[in-house]
Amino acid sequence: MNTAAAPAISPGSLDIGIGGMTCASCVGRVERALKKVPGVQSVAVNLATESARIAYAPTEQMEARLRRAVRDAGYEPLAADATIDAPDASPWAGFMPVAIGLALSAPLVLPMLSNLVGWHWMLPTWLQFALATPVQFILGARFYKAGWHALKNLAGNMDLLVALGTTAGWLLSMWLWLNAAPGVMAHLYFEGSAVVITMVLLGKWLEARAKRQTTSAIRALHGLRPATAHLIGLDGEVDVPVAEVLVGDRLVVKPGERLPVDGLLQEGQTQVDESMLTGEPLPIVKDPGAALTGGSINGDGRIVMQVKAVGSETVLAHIIRLVEDAQAAKAPIQRLVDQVSAVFVPVVLGIALITLLGWWLSGHPFEVAVINAVTVLVIACPCALGLATPAAIMAGTGVAAKYGILIKDAQALELAHKVDVVVFDKTGTLTVGQPRLTAFQAVAGGDEVTLLTAAASLQSGSEHPLARAVVVAASERGLAIHPPVNVRAVPGRGTEGELRATDGNEAAQPSYLIGSLRWMDELGVDWGALAAPAATLQGSGATVSLLARRRAVADAESTERIDVLALLAFADEPKPGAQAAVAALRARSIKTVMISGDNQGAAEAMARRLGFRPESGEVRAEVLPGDKAAQVLALKNGGHTVAMVGDGINDAPALTAADVGMAMANAGGGGSDVAMHAAGITLMRGDPGLVAAALDISDRTVAKIRQNLFWAFAYNVAGIPLAALGFLNPVVAGAAMAMSSVSVMSNALLLKRWKPKE
């Protein structure tokens, strides 16, 4: 048994694997035991992953205390990733106890089956005893052990119900055998107890196989990490474990190999397959300077890369953590299951006792009363209840990750299916995010070369897409760019700074401003000379900015004046598929809204190209970065469930304000860490079509959760009365109980066939 310590995820948080849980009642028992540990703040136990996630106030020896609490509750504390990192088991792993049970139980069932065709015979009593007893006390020992631990903690679980029910059947058979008249073969119930235990073991084995399939997504992600890397050292190329690679190292990646860590391409050219990370099926061309993501597959070129991130800081590690977080979390709907499970077993025991007394006191033989009570105990086992929600969440989040949709938590998954409004940031989300400078017009008498040089110099230190477009345009013309001084960025408006005078005169450093028309109006700048071309360009969808300069004046009204110098127009292009993505959402009866910092005319022109309807209020223009969250909150206050889609740092407040935040990765596959942290869902490639896909997998996963819970509850609601009224027997009840868990897991696994619509 692997009992290695699980590493803490972060200060105050820990994952622990838990062996021995069998039903929803076990989940509640482990949670109660862990919550009693001083300092524990919250606990989420997942039956499907057989693990617990605990948040706690940092305390000395907390991990040891938590593990002791798990053991004292009757379960085995394991390494959190013991199941994930274990080698793939044979499809028949763990089948031996089931095979032995089937071999011993089959002869006991044959007489019952032969009665159906009119052939009446029975095995000798001693042979029934010899076949059933090993099944009862050797193969069934696990139920006695777990049931005893439950009793010691004044709790109940599936194992207790199975142990009580089958033991009652076995003892009844022994009593009837020992009290039978000489020469008379009494009707015994050894076969019922043996078959129930065998069926439960078979169901648990099938359930374990299904669980391995639900963790296949995590297993696949773990499998993307190569064990070794080709390090370029002082003595040439040498193979080292990936765990020893440091930031700044230079690595060789040969054709067909997986990239060991994140980095930048230094030498060579290649194509990289990132499909397992982003869902993008086509290889991506990488030139020197391009970002490389660990876990992706190098194409046919030998390359040299410089390491930029290792270990838990890599994109792959982040993806694994997001998927694990989602699969470990509990959906809000699970609270109902937890409340039912807390009282389920005691209620079932009460119903079984009432059944026993009711049949016996109504004049029926005691053995009939016992068998009906045993049937109630067996068919009521709450296995399916505990698996209904986590199995669907694991399958749904796993298949979503396969196509580049990372769902951070179960709450985001459950809320996403209620979304009726999707708000898009424009630049970088719906558009390519690489605007070009398409027009530069100086005022009459202005020198365009000098002014473009000034504009590019002022913007040279900015990462804003429009600033980069100005710098690129100046570089393409071969203009010399000089670093600015005293630069001040005004969020949502523009940039101001000074440029050194060419003659070195510090006192003559001119102060320039470049920014939006709105900012210029706020500053009182007169740009009427450029009003006509600005209106024309905005009407065509261009974003217009102005370059201006401060200068000192000596008049009675002011000591300085701002003169407009030039007009700059920028054009961006819609992303391929953006219009189809908006149409797909509209086909789902979801309202779409585009938020832009552009003026109304430019925003509406681009919106129409993307398929939005400005006349229906689907465009919010001239919105400052800090006001995006207010727009989202206004929609929420209007009674809508809102999803916000953005890709930048300035989108983080709006992503947090939305019911569901969706952070879209940039072309490099990384996305903004701030946006990804704020969002509940991360789209690993910049494809707007993934928004509709994320909502679709949410719909389907929530539907599976509801189906599973319905059938789990319906199974018990229908099965318990039938058993109490004598319409079932223990054999049928055992088979039905075992199959209920398998059916829930199988229904959840149907989600693995999902794929985004084209």
Side-chain angles (χ1 to χ4, degrees):
M1 188 74 68
N2 186 351
T3 58
I9 301 168
S10 62
S13 181
L14 179 74
D15 277 0
I16 297 178
I18 300 174
M21 293 193 299
T22 55
C23 66
S25 297
C26 295
V27 171
R29 189 164 128 216
V30 173
E31 286 187 344
R32 289 192 296 272
L34 289 170
K35 287 177 180 177
K36 291 179 182 178
V37 178
V40 169
Q41 297 170 341
S42 65
V43 178
V45 177
N46 189 316
L47 179 61
T49 59
E50 297 181 346
S51 65
R53 173 157 293 179
I54 307 106
Y56 57 88
T59 306
E60 186 177 356
Q61 296 184 320
M62 177 58 83
E63 182 174 345
R65 295 172 192 235
L66 294 170
R67 290 179 173 279
R68 177 69 60 85
V70 171
R71 192 176 298 280
D72 290 345
Y75 301 92
E76 184 72 19
L78 307 173
D81 55 359
T83 303
I84 296 297
D85 287 341
D88 288 339
S90 161
W92 295 97
F95 187 72
M96 184 57 69
V98 180
I100 295 173
L102 290 171
L104 294 175
S105 301
L108 295 170
V109 177
L110 285 177
M112 183 174 63
L113 296 177
S114 64
N115 286 338
L116 299 176
V117 295
W119 183 22
H120 302 287
W121 66 284
M122 292 181 66
L123 292 174
T125 302
W126 66 268
L127 184 54
Q128 293 184 50
F129 169 80
L131 291 171
T133 301
V135 177
Q136 183 70 46
F137 297 106
I138 298 177
L139 297 181
R142 55 178 286 182
F143 303 114
Y144 288 101
K145 180 180 177 181
W148 172 244
H149 282 299
L151 276 179
K152 285 196 302 181
N153 288 275
L154 301 178
N157 59 9
M158 182 208 80
D159 303 287
L160 180 62
L161 296 181
V162 172
L164 287 175
T166 57
T167 301
W170 187 88
L171 289 174
L172 175 63
S173 299
M174 290 295 298
W175 184 80
L176 292 173
W177 179 22
L178 296 177
N179 288 277
V184 176
M185 180 175 288
H187 180 74
L188 308 180
Y189 299 93
F190 283 124
E191 84 283 350
S193 296
V195 169
V196 165
I197 288 178
T198 301
M199 287 294 100
V200 175
L201 291 175
L202 175 61
K204 287 298 172 186
W205 176 74
L206 292 172
E207 181 185 306
R209 286 191 64 181
K211 284 181 181 177
R212 286 197 293 270
Q213 293 185 55
T214 61
T215 60
S216 61
I218 290 290
R219 286 174 175 271
L221 289 171
H222 277 265
L224 297 181
R225 299 180 295 194
T228 60
H230 311 306
L231 175 67
I232 300 178
L234 297 177
D235 299 325
E237 186 179 320
V238 59
D239 288 352
V240 298
V242 171
E244 297 180 11
V245 173
L246 303 175
V247 173
D249 284 345
R250 298 175 72 240
L251 306 177
V252 171
V253 185
K254 300 175 182 178
E257 291 184 337
R258 290 196 181 274
L259 303 177
V261 290
D262 295 355
L264 295 177
L265 178 58
Q266 280 196 330
E267 300 176 14
Q269 186 184 54
T270 188
Q271 292 184 334
V272 175
D273 179 359
E274 298 180 345
S275 58
M276 280 300 294
L277 300 174
T278 66
E280 172 57 56
L282 298 177
I284 300 172
V285 175
K286 300 287 184 178
D287 295 313
L292 300 173
T293 305
S296 52
I297 301 175
N298 183 30
D300 54 4
R302 180 185 183 277
I303 61 173
V304 175
M305 64 178 292
Q306 183 176 31
V307 179
K308 291 298 180 183
V310 297
S312 62
E313 301 302 318
T314 62
V315 171
L316 177 58
H318 180 70
I319 292 173
I320 292 174
R321 175 51 54 201
L322 283 177
V323 178
E324 287 178 341
D325 285 349
Q327 296 189 345
K330 280 191 176 184
I333 198 172
Q334 183 70 18
R335 297 187 191 115
L336 173 63
V337 178
D338 293 342
Q339 292 169 358
V340 172
S341 301
V343 299
F344 191 83
V345 172
V347 169
V348 169
L349 291 173
I351 294 174
L353 179 60
I354 293 172
T355 301
L356 174 68
L357 295 175
W359 280 89
W360 188 28
L361 296 178
S362 63
H364 292 84
F366 182 70
E367 62 187 85
V368 173
V370 170
I371 289 302
N372 288 333
V374 167
T375 305
V376 169
L377 292 174
V378 171
I379 202 165
C381 294
C383 313
L385 279 178
L387 291 168
T389 300
I393 288 175
M394 290 176 66
T397 55
V399 73
K402 177 180 177 182
Y403 291 102
I405 302 168
L406 303 185
I407 301 171
K408 182 190 292 185
D409 54 52
Q411 184 172 0
L413 182 72
E414 190 167 333
L415 278 174
H417 88 284
K418 301 177 182 178
V419 167
D420 59 352
V421 175
V422 174
V423 179
F424 288 94
D425 174 57
K426 188 199 78 170
T427 304
T429 303
L430 291 170
T431 64
V432 176
Q434 297 176 349
R436 297 173 293 104
L437 182 65
T438 56
F440 186 89
Q441 181 176 339
V443 295
D447 181 6
E448 288 193 3
V449 172
T450 302
L451 294 177
L452 180 56
T453 301
S457 298
L458 181 61
Q459 301 278 56
S460 60
S462 174
E463 291 299 318
H464 193 282
L466 299 185
R468 292 199 297 268
V470 177
V471 174
V472 168
S475 299
E476 289 175 348
R477 297 193 188 187
L479 304 182
I481 297 175
H482 308 288
V485 294
N486 301 325
V487 177
R488 179 174 66 93
V490 182
R493 289 171 170 81
T495 304
E496 180 175 1
E498 299 173 357
L499 300 179
R500 290 186 175 88
T502 55
D503 58 4
N505 183 359
E506 294 292 331
Q509 291 184 156
S511 179
Y512 289 93
L513 305 89
I514 185 169
S516 65
L517 303 182
R518 177 179 180 177
W519 188 32
M520 296 300 165
D521 287 336
E522 292 174 353
L523 295 174
V525 178
D526 178 11
W527 49 279
L530 296 173
T536 301
L537 290 165
Q538 287 174 343
S540 65
T543 300
V544 175
S545 297
L546 295 176
L547 174 67
R549 177 177 175 176
R550 290 185 188 271
R551 65 185 179 87
V553 296
D555 58 36
E557 296 182 1
S558 176
T559 59
E560 68 174 16
R561 179 175 174 177
I562 303 176
D563 297 319
V564 67
L565 302 176
L567 173 150
L568 301 89
F570 304 89
D572 199 357
E573 290 297 317
K575 283 184 176 178
Q579 186 174 7
V582 173
L585 290 170
R586 189 169 291 127
R588 296 172 62 90
S589 299
I590 294 174
K591 180 180 178 180
T592 55
V593 175
M594 186 188 84
I595 289 182
S596 173
D598 290 344
N599 65 82
Q600 194 71 34
E604 290 187 0
M606 177 58 74
R608 288 191 176 89
R609 294 182 64 187
L610 292 164
F612 290 90
R613 296 174 297 200
E615 64 278 5
S616 300
E618 295 183 350
V619 177
R620 309 291 169 89
E622 299 183 24
V623 178
L624 298 176
D627 294 337
K628 292 180 183 178
Q631 294 284 341
V632 170
L633 289 173
L635 289 167
K636 288 177 63 176
N637 293 335
H640 297 287
T641 302
V642 181
M644 170 69 193
V645 189
D647 74 322
I649 293 175
N650 59 18
D651 296 322
L655 292 171
T656 303
D659 295 291
V660 180
M662 297 189 187
M664 183 176 288
N666 57 30
S672 165
D673 289 341
V674 176
M676 292 170 74
H677 180 75
I681 297 176
T682 298
L683 310 178
M684 286 305 295
R685 65 181 190 274
D687 180 2
L690 289 181
V691 176
L695 299 181
D696 185 52
I697 188 59
S698 169
D699 284 349
R700 293 173 185 267
T701 302
V702 171
K704 288 298 180 187
I705 291 174
R706 289 175 173 170
Q707 291 168 14
N708 285 348
L709 289 176
F710 171 80
W711 289 112
F713 279 114
Y715 164 82
N716 285 296
V717 168
I720 291 175
L722 290 174
L725 294 173
F727 292 109
L728 300 175
N729 62 55
V731 173
V732 174
M737 186 270 289
M739 290 303 104
S740 68
S741 297
V742 176
S743 64
V744 164
M745 295 296 297
S746 300
N747 188 43
L749 287 172
L750 292 176
L751 286 169
K752 294 185 68 176
R753 301 189 300 181
W754 176 86
K755 61 174 58 179
K757 295 179 181 178
E758 294 294 335

